[in-house]
Amino acid sequence: MAEIVRIANIAAHVGEQVTLEGWLQLKTGKGKLQFLRVRDGTGFIQAVIFKPNVSEEVFEAAKRMPLESSLIITGNVKADERAPGVPGGFELDVTDLTVVQESEEYPIAPKEHGVEFLMDNRHLWLRSSRQWAILRVRARIIRAMRDWLDDNGFILVDTPILTPSAAEGTTTLFKTDFHGEDAFLAQTGQLYNEANIFAFGRVYCFGPTFRAEKSKTRRHLQEFWMVEPEIAYCKLEQLLEIEEQYVSYIVQTILKECAAELKLLERDTTHLERVVAPFYRISYDDAVQMINKAAGEGVTVPPNDDPLPPIEWGGDFGSPHETFVASQFDKPVFVHHYPSAVKAFYMEPEPGRHEVCRSADLLAPEGYGEIIGGSERMSDPELLLAAIDRHGLPREAYQWYIDLRRYGSVPHSGFGLGVERTVAWICGLDHIRETIAFPRMLGRLRP
RNA sequence: UCCGCGAUAGCUCAAUCGGCAGAGCAAGCGGCUGUUAACCGCAAGGUUGGAGGUUCGAGUCCUCCUCGCGGAGCCA
């Protein structure tokens, strides 16, 4: 048997005889020729079996072999500009083939399928080239997210998943049992991050978060991953500069390093190429004016071209409002200084104008919505206590959190960036369900 | 929770006014030396999501239920 190589490294073996270990992705036959598309996890390559070049048994086995059969295949590597695959341009002239397991009839055919069928077969759907590309981009995005923070003075401090209290709304918590006491799956690590900055200055947590929202849309999961940086001695203005540097780095890294995957996904990258700091900034006040002007003119918004509803000052933006505001800009836009009443209790009020808070959401272009929520945090213990009371939250559960403001409180800020929404945006996906291997959605716990 | 749409062969979908349930793909058999979701030929494949109702007659109309999809609210 020849040297075992991986498809990603095939270019280094042109003219050599090599062995690949993989699976049969696709097959077309033509008399004495069989074209096999073979996948080994690192890429895809076309293997050509010409009947006179192999034994009778090998040719018959190749002809009979169903899709997704596992196989070990040996042949000569040829460069050919026209050959399909990832990386394309190479072909394997087969000399020998061993079927490791002949697959049963594979349910997912190389044709269109419905969403429910594909989701029921998610454990198999992952093998398709499109899902392969998406999940590789996801992995690279996560690496970029962590690289930038690690290289810019942030330290990873993991925060708990089992928590005794809510950080935000209480209606969207998954409840579990902690030896007889109610416990909840974390919606965020932020409150713990705020403790950690006093030890480390700049920290981040990265992990799964859980929201039992009754949301069934293309942008929602019940379980999603989030990176949450938190920074001591940081005001809102400085926070936005960090955010735009951060997002620019992630997008530009993917453009550079996942070009093959984005091409396979047929992603038009012209929008992404523009994602370079600085981003746009618009206040909530101005955004409301912009929305109401457009609503008065009868502007409609995708996906259903419904009329844009007007908004009263003080209300939170609905999905159509976000979509409209984002569509007015050719790269991401910050909407800052939301009304305090519609935001979480811990956001710092604007001095001299307490009805708005020092918060900012980052809206991605192309209708992908809010990918970052961030704010300056309340640093005054008295104001914080009042806010906790106003939101009807139990003081005792937040005692330690209030404590942070009693021992060397400083201005500090942080944000949360959703991994799946970022993946959907960068890959140009219609639905968030493809951005994670096994999505947990309303009404979908398995596979 | 609310609004809208849908469920027919393994998969994706047709079926006119209520009148014989039909294709493509997959699987099976045969053919082909350059295919890219190949192509050509043959053969096969059905409790039309479930329960009830209207009718001479229901995939089609009505009621209820189940499941799915899209959207709203909420959010990353």
Side-chain angles (χ1 to χ4, degrees), chain A residues 89-140:
Chain A
F90 303 96
E91 197 171 84
L92 194 72
D93 247 340
V94 176
T95 54
D96 197 15
L97 176 154
T98 305
V99 179
V100 178
Q101 193 222 7
E102 195 169 292
S103 175
E104 293 179 26
E105 185 184 338
Y106 191 62
I108 301 180
K111 65 188 288 285
E112 285 185 27
H113 293 283
V115 168
E116 187 183 9
F117 177 79
L118 288 171
M119 287 308 300
D120 285 343
N121 287 284
R122 182 62 175 168
H123 54 300
L124 304 176
W125 188 23
L126 292 173
R127 304 179 183 196
S128 74
S129 56
R130 194 180 154 78
Q131 303 307 311
W132 175 85
I134 293 168
L135 292 177
R136 279 175 56 106
V137 171
R138 175 192 169 100
R140 193 61 191 85

Side-chain angles (χ1 to χ4, degrees), chain A residues 26 32 90 98 114 140-141 160-161 171 248 270 282 290 319 380 398 402 429:
Chain A
L26 194 65
K32 296 184 172 59
F90 303 96
T98 305
R140 193 61 191 85
I141 285 173
I161 303 289
T171 56
S248 301
T270 53
I282 182 172
M290 182 189 268
S319 185
D380 181 276
Y398 293 92
I402 298 162
L429 307 181

Side-chain angles (χ1 to χ4, degrees), chain A residues 157-190:
Chain A
V157 183
D158 298 312
T159 53
I161 303 289
L162 288 171
T163 60
S165 59
E168 295 171 10
T170 47
T171 56
T172 60
L173 289 163
F174 281 105
K175 192 164 133 183
T176 184
D177 173 66
F178 190 79
H179 306 291
E181 188 180 351
D182 284 347
F184 305 93
L185 300 184
Q187 294 177 307
T188 170
Q190 181 205 312

Side-chain angles (χ1 to χ4, degrees), chain A residues 359-371:
Chain A
S359 67
D361 290 347
L362 182 66
L363 307 184
E366 301 174 78
Y368 285 95
E370 183 184 343
I371 55 168

